[in-house]
Amino acid sequence: MATGRTHRPATRSRGIPEATVARLPLYLRALTALSERSVPTVSSEELAAAAGVNSAKLRKDFSYLGSYGTRGVGYDVEYLVYQISRELGLTQDWPIVMVGIGNLGAALANYGGFASRGFRVAALIDADPSMVGKPVAGIPVQFIDDLERIIEDNGVSIGVIATPAGAAQQVCDRLVAAGVTSILNFAPTVLSVPDGVDVRKVDLSIELQILAFHEQRKAGDEAGAVLPDAAAVRAAAAAASAAAPTAVDAGADAGTAAAGTGAGTGTGAGTGAGRKGPDGDVPAVMPA
């Protein structure tokens, strides 16, 4: 089997968009599951649903691979698995080194999906002398001082960084200087690399923050559905104001009644003049 340095995927030279490349692993995962169930063919709608994309986008992506499927039949599952695996460079062995064997690094080292997808963990490396020699996932941890030799001996072109943020750039520089041209970065920092070096960043805290944003937005939408619209509140207030008598109208009505009483009994004027409020005389008609 070829090693990681003898072949590079031809996606750039064939003009496959990066967005399509990012979706190819999703299709491959869905197709692999179908293959394991011995499903011979799959429609674009079924595969798109399994991969979490729409069928039009899937058909467009597959057109870059030269695979259009058969009308009324769909796509051949095994052939698509081969096509996508070939395009992603997974028909060969890719040795990788993993630097930083703390809690996250140890969890990654124990992940069984690497080998099944064509990635062989060639070495686990750490800067802590007390970790050296300890087996993690059956692989003894090696000291950081041996990084360059390990990369050369194993023909490594892909490195995984799982160190604290403060150490990540230095580790990255050493990986690149030793010949690594692709890096998967789990450290919570942005790496600076020269042209020709690809970096993919995985930051779990950022993904959680994005989910928190959507949760807050959903909560706001729900609150907006319960609370009345501001315009509706203003309209209701205006309607209530128009329906209620104003102070002037009320005062005029009271004055009219008082005048009528005085004319009929001769006591209205005296009664009106004699009324007292806490702040003095209360006029029968409030001034406008």
Side-chain angles (χ1 to χ4, degrees):
M1 179 177 287
T3 61
R5 298 221 174 192
T6 60
H7 171 72
R8 301 285 289 179
T11 54
R12 286 196 179 96
S13 63
R14 291 181 57 176
I16 299 180
E18 287 295 328
T20 296
V21 174
R23 288 188 289 269
L24 291 181
L26 303 179
Y27 302 141
L28 182 59
R29 180 174 61 188
L31 288 163
T32 300
L34 293 171
S35 176
E36 291 172 350
R37 302 204 311 266
S38 300
V39 176
T41 59
V42 62
S43 69
S44 59
E45 289 78 10
E46 292 169 332
L47 184 54
V53 302
N54 66 63
S55 58
K57 185 175 292 184
L58 177 142
R59 287 190 293 269
K60 179 67 173 178
D61 289 342
F62 285 177
S63 71
Y64 291 110
L65 306 180
S67 176
Y68 295 90
T70 302
R71 183 178 296 275
V73 177
Y75 294 97
D76 184 287
V77 171
E78 292 300 331
Y79 183 59
L80 263 186
V81 168
Y82 167 73
Q83 274 189 307
I84 296 176
S85 296
R86 181 192 61 189
E87 203 63 50
L88 291 174
L90 303 182
T91 55
Q92 62 191 68
D93 175 48
W94 292 100
I96 65 175
V97 295
M98 191 174 299
V99 185
I101 314 303
N103 291 332
L104 178 57
L108 292 171
N110 279 283
Y111 173 57
F114 288 134
S116 64
R117 289 166 174 79
F119 300 97
R120 174 176 58 84
V121 179
L124 303 178
I125 302 171
D126 201 273
D128 184 358
S130 67
M131 288 288 296
V132 175
K134 291 184 177 179
V136 175
I139 303 171
V141 176
Q142 301 185 62
F143 195 48
I144 189 69
D145 285 357
D146 298 323
L147 177 63
E148 289 77 11
R149 177 188 58 79
I150 293 168
I151 290 173
E152 182 178 1
D153 289 350
N154 290 277
V156 173
S157 59
I158 300 177
V160 178
I161 296 178
T163 66
Q169 185 62 58
Q170 183 181 6
V171 169
C172 174
D173 292 342
R174 290 183 62 180
L175 288 171
V176 171
V180 169
T181 53
S182 293
I183 295 173
L184 180 60
N185 178 33
F186 283 89
T189 188
V190 176
L191 299 177
S192 176
V193 298
D195 291 341
V197 176
D198 296 311
V199 176
R200 298 288 295 181
K201 179 173 176 56
V202 180
D203 192 321
L204 302 180
S205 65
I206 287 179
E207 299 303 321
L208 287 172
Q209 289 172 47
I210 293 172
L211 290 176
F213 165 80
H214 290 296
E215 284 302 307
Q216 177 176 257
R217 196 170 189 178
K218 285 185 283 188
D221 290 342
E222 291 173 0
V226 175
L227 294 175
D229 180 77
V233 172
R234 288 194 297 269
S241 177
T246 63
V248 173
D249 293 338
D253 291 343
T256 302
T261 302
T265 64
T267 61
T271 303
R275 285 186 299 161
K276 295 283 187 177
D279 298 318
D281 295 340
V282 179
V285 179
M286 298 292 291

